[in-house]
Amino acid sequence: MKYKQNRKIFAYLAMIVLSIFFIFPLFYMISVSLNPDETAILRNMASVRAFFPGDLSLKNFFDVFDRMPFARFLFNSTFIVSTTIIIGLLVNSMMAFALARLRWKGRALIVSGVVALMIIPFEAIAVPLLLITNRLGWLDSYHVQIIPFIANPLYIFLLFQFFKNFPSELEEAAIIDGANWFGIYWRIALPLSKPILSSVAILHFLMQWGSFLWPLMVTRGPEYRPLTVAMEVFFGQYPRNWGDIMAFAAMITIPVLLLFLYLQDTYVNTVARSGIK
Amino acid sequence: MLRNDKKSITTFMLPASILLLVFMVLPFLMAFGLSFTNQRLIESPRGTQFVGLTNYVRALGDNLFRTGLTNNAIFVLVVVPLQTALALALAILVNIKVKGNKFFRVIYFIPTVTTMVVVSVIWSFLYHPDGLINGFLTSITFGAWDGIDFLNNTTTAFPSIMLMSMWQGVGFQMLIFLAALQEIPDSFYEAADIDGANTWQQFLYITLPQLKNTTTFVIISTTILAFRLFTQVYVMTNGGPQNSTYTAMLHIYNMAFKRLNIGYSSALTVIFFLIILVISIIQRIALNDTEEEV
């Protein structure tokens, strides 16, 4: 019993020390962002005092809105990400549905094609894609950041695996009701697939929200620039105002953090699912 | 039976198929084609010519590309074992049935939902010559530590980026391990308890073998991520100082976007892809092997 008790104490100690390691940078970001006094930020940046700014204020946050079209960047990111996810869910699940539920020649071949495409990292197609989109005159636009990222072989495959496990009574019952394939997809398959649809949406969100290399290549001005590239551009401007930089960082991070704290169980399942081969 | 009519199949398949063909298969195949040409992003007045293997010959002698690939390999050798081991340790820790383990699990995966650009910016401040990490090292050594400019020093810049990348990524692998740990039946451990196996023996003879597939998956996917390394080095050091943090992707980006040399950067892309392909094939073989054993 004594041994078990010791082990528990040790586990707690380890967990607490590790929590500090994982959380202090974010606390640091938040406390610096709330500190209106830039000289105090620089004076205290190396000590524990950095975590306890004297007077708290949202001045840095207002500064960010004053110094750049932050609202525009926020809109750009939100618009690009949500459009990609919504159209992506529809398009990817439609293809997955046809591959999993309809019986036709050649579908096994296409499934292996989709699996093969999963190996190609985005970095391996970025350069020719830049050439293609440049030729199409798409640079500096929303659609250049949306259209190439809608269809995704990993998401098609995850949805395919899920649809495949439905019992065949599913269609049989629907046929009695006189439904066609589209009706089965829309009124039966999709409503039964909420767990996998939310997983795919989460993966898609993380990919698009954090996307950096591509928007860096295809956006020139602030008009269509997403938050990530705007953050990097702001970070590259000297002299650096760390209070404002951290306020900017906090505004990108905190909404997403709250969303994921709310969705934590779905997120945990999503990651677990992406790890199961 | 409902008819599998051509019209439904086409409607379901067409949108995603077209998108995949135009924005994935086509550029993928083009990379190979372009790599044998002197294609520019903005068409030169002399037009584009077939140049044979010139780009590949140039790539072989390209010291910067070699530096980049070497750094990627170093990143793999250091980060992959450390991060995998840490992820497994974290997973075991939060899998211990104590109150609040779910809370700690959340804390550990929070960095994984923080965007890499933001992470890079925060850590640049922490690594500042007068920053928190130097301050911490000074105080725990009672002033013996002289502050160093972590990101501006050829010895410390890359390890600093490695540490930060592990901080950001490890929670993801932890969750994968955790899911696999929870799949191991309790009865295995109960039987071992009866046989008098201690915790360490149980870890060695039950946990590790049961996690073989997951470990392979984690190692390979972390390796692939290491070769794709771009955002952190771009934001924090832009490959410097003296190319000590330069990576293959940074070189491809510079060649395509700064030099506008699509032909050459396509050749680099093809080499990059072949490396990823070899790693992926190793993964498939390794996973198939273990599946057959079960």
Side-chain angles (χ1 to χ4, degrees):
Chain A
M1 228 37 231
K2 180 89 190 175
Y3 168 71
K4 275 245 162 97
Q5 200 63 31
N6 282 342
R7 205 163 72 154
K8 245 184 187 174
I9 293 169
F10 176 76
Y12 274 119
L13 264 176
M15 287 200 281
I16 290 165
V17 171
L18 284 160
S19 319
I20 296 171
F21 172 67
F22 283 107
I23 210 72
F24 85 90
L26 294 170
F27 267 118
Y28 194 76
M29 168 188 80
I30 293 168
S31 31
V32 171
S33 75
L34 291 171
N35 191 339
D37 183 356
E38 186 71 16
T39 42
I41 291 175
L42 292 173
R43 194 174 56 237
N44 295 332
M45 67 192 282
S47 70
V48 192
R49 260 170 307 185
F51 291 96
F52 307 99
D55 30 42
L56 300 176
S57 124
L58 292 176
K59 176 185 163 289
N60 295 328
F61 291 83
F62 290 113
D63 281 355
V64 170
F65 279 94
D66 282 344
R67 289 181 62 181
M68 72 194 90
F70 182 83
R72 175 89 199 186
F73 300 141
L74 183 64
F75 171 79
N76 291 347
S77 275
T78 313
F79 177 72
I80 292 164
V81 172
S82 50
T83 316
T84 318
I85 293 177
I86 292 165
I87 307 177
L89 282 179
L90 187 73
V91 163
N92 292 323
S93 66
M94 275 166 62
M95 179 156 166
F97 182 78
L99 291 172
R101 303 310 300 185
L102 282 82
R103 280 176 206 82
W104 45 287
K105 243 190 190 166
R107 65 186 184 137
L109 190 74
I110 293 184
V111 172
S112 19
V114 169
V115 173
L117 285 182
M118 278 162 54
I119 293 177
I120 304 176
F122 173 71
E123 288 81 354
I125 57 170
V127 171
L129 196 59
L130 179 66
L131 186 73
I132 296 173
T133 49
N134 186 37
R135 285 290 153 79
L136 290 170
W138 282 13
L139 295 197
D140 244 339
S141 68
Y142 286 126
H143 50 271
V144 74
Q145 299 176 71
I146 295 172
I147 295 172
F149 303 97
I150 290 172
N152 183 301
L154 173 66
Y155 310 152
I156 294 173
F157 185 69
L158 289 173
L159 288 157
F160 165 79
Q161 281 184 315
F162 194 88
F163 290 152
K164 201 135 182 81
N165 287 328
F166 288 153
S168 60
E169 287 91 54
L170 192 82
E171 282 102 349
E172 282 156 23
I175 294 160
I176 297 165
D177 296 343
N180 59 14
W181 280 111
F182 195 78
I184 297 171
Y185 160 77
W186 189 254
R187 284 200 300 275
I188 300 171
L190 284 192
L192 284 174
S193 308
K194 279 187 189 129
I196 189 72
L197 290 171
S198 40
S199 283
V200 166
I202 283 180
L203 290 174
H204 218 157
F205 175 88
L206 284 176
M207 181 188 94
Q208 278 289 80
W209 183 260
S211 171
F212 180 68
L213 173 64
W214 184 246
L216 186 69
M217 295 202 288
V218 297
T219 60
R220 300 284 151 84
E223 222 182 337
Y224 300 100
R225 190 178 280 162
L227 284 167
T228 47
V229 178
M231 168 93 264
E232 195 276 326
V233 170
F234 184 46
F235 182 63
Q237 284 166 2
Y238 289 87
R240 279 178 181 154
N241 184 315
W242 286 103
D244 291 0
I245 290 174
M246 291 300 164
F248 193 124
M251 283 191 281
I252 306 182
T253 309
I254 291 168
V256 179
L257 222 57
L258 294 176
L259 181 72
F260 275 86
L261 289 180
Y262 175 68
L263 293 174
Q264 51 171 291
D265 289 331
T266 319
Y267 178 63
V268 170
N269 291 336
T270 302
V271 180
R273 202 174 257 137
S274 75
I276 295 164
K277 268 261 329 154
Chain B
M1 190 65 214
L2 203 58
R3 276 190 27 243
N4 293 325
D5 55 315
K6 281 217 170 74
K7 219 178 98 192
S8 322
I9 295 169
T10 319
T11 321
F12 280 123
M13 291 293 295
L14 211 56
S17 308
I18 290 177
L19 288 169
L20 286 178
L21 284 174
V22 176
F23 297 107
M24 209 163 173
V25 179
L26 175 69
F28 177 69
L29 297 176
M30 276 174 75
F32 288 89
L34 290 167
S35 70
F36 299 107
T37 70
N38 59 359
Q39 177 76 49
R40 312 278 307 172
L41 185 59
I42 294 127
E43 195 72 60
S44 79
R46 279 165 290 132
T48 301
Q49 284 97 31
F50 177 79
V51 296
L53 288 170
T54 314
N55 289 325
Y56 289 96
V57 174
R58 185 178 157 198
L60 288 179
D62 187 338
N63 284 330
L64 263 179
F65 189 52
R66 197 178 304 154
T67 306
L69 281 177
T70 312
N71 282 337
N72 285 121
I74 294 170
F75 195 93
V76 170
L77 290 177
V78 176
V79 170
V80 171
L82 283 178
Q83 190 170 333
T84 310
L86 182 60
L88 179 57
L90 288 175
I92 290 172
L93 196 59
V94 296
N95 200 34
I96 296 175
K97 285 167 190 66
V98 293
K99 250 191 200 150
N101 57 358
K102 221 177 156 190
F103 167 79
F104 290 106
R105 187 185 76 183
V106 172
I107 301 279
Y108 303 158
F109 78 59
I110 277 180
T112 68
V113 297
T114 311
T115 307
M116 190 46 97
V117 176
V118 169
V119 170
S120 307
V121 167
I122 300 172
W123 281 77
S124 297
F125 199 33
L126 297 173
Y127 283 137
H128 193 281
D130 307 314
L132 189 68
I133 292 176
N134 274 312
F136 175 72
L137 291 171
T138 308
S139 62
I140 60 162
T141 56
F142 303 104
W145 174 264
D146 275 334
I148 51 171
D149 193 350
F150 285 104
L151 296 176
N152 241 325
N153 179 314
T154 49
T155 348
T156 53
F158 207 37
S160 302
I161 291 177
M162 290 177 188
L163 175 69
M164 184 206 77
S165 304
M166 285 194 276
W167 175 87
Q168 200 266 349
V170 73
F172 203 83
Q173 282 93 347
M174 172 196 76
L175 291 179
I176 293 177
F177 273 127
L178 188 63
L181 280 176
Q182 288 165 350
E183 294 282 303
I184 305 175
D186 282 340
S187 58
F188 285 22
Y189 294 103
E190 285 155 15
D193 264 335
I194 293 164
D195 292 344
N198 64 29
T199 314
W200 176 246
Q201 287 166 330
Q202 293 184 13
F203 171 74
L204 223 53
Y205 298 112
I206 300 173
T207 313
L208 274 190
Q210 290 291 316
L211 292 179
K212 206 171 153 194
N213 267 355
T214 312
T215 314
T216 312
F217 176 80
V218 166
I219 289 176
I220 300 283
S221 53
T222 317
T223 306
I224 292 175
L225 280 177
F227 274 97
R228 298 168 63 181
L229 193 62
F230 177 78
T231 306
Q232 302 94 300
V233 289
Y234 183 87
V235 175
M236 297 175 86
T237 58
N238 202 10
Q242 291 166 47
N243 302 325
S244 59
T245 61
Y246 206 73
T247 66
M249 255 336 282
L250 204 54
H251 195 53
I252 294 176
Y253 169 82
N254 284 335
M255 290 301 119
F257 198 69
K258 296 240 171 87
R259 303 274 182 85
L260 308 178
N261 194 338
I262 296 292
Y264 183 53
S265 50
S266 294
L268 299 178
T269 297
V270 169
I271 298 172
F272 165 82
F273 172 72
L274 292 177
I275 294 171
I276 299 284
L277 184 67
V278 169
I279 300 169
S280 303
I281 290 172
I282 294 172
Q283 172 187 25
R284 299 246 158 130
I285 294 170
L287 286 174
N288 281 340
D289 274 1
T290 48
E291 264 158 33
E292 275 157 26
E293 276 169 34
V294 172

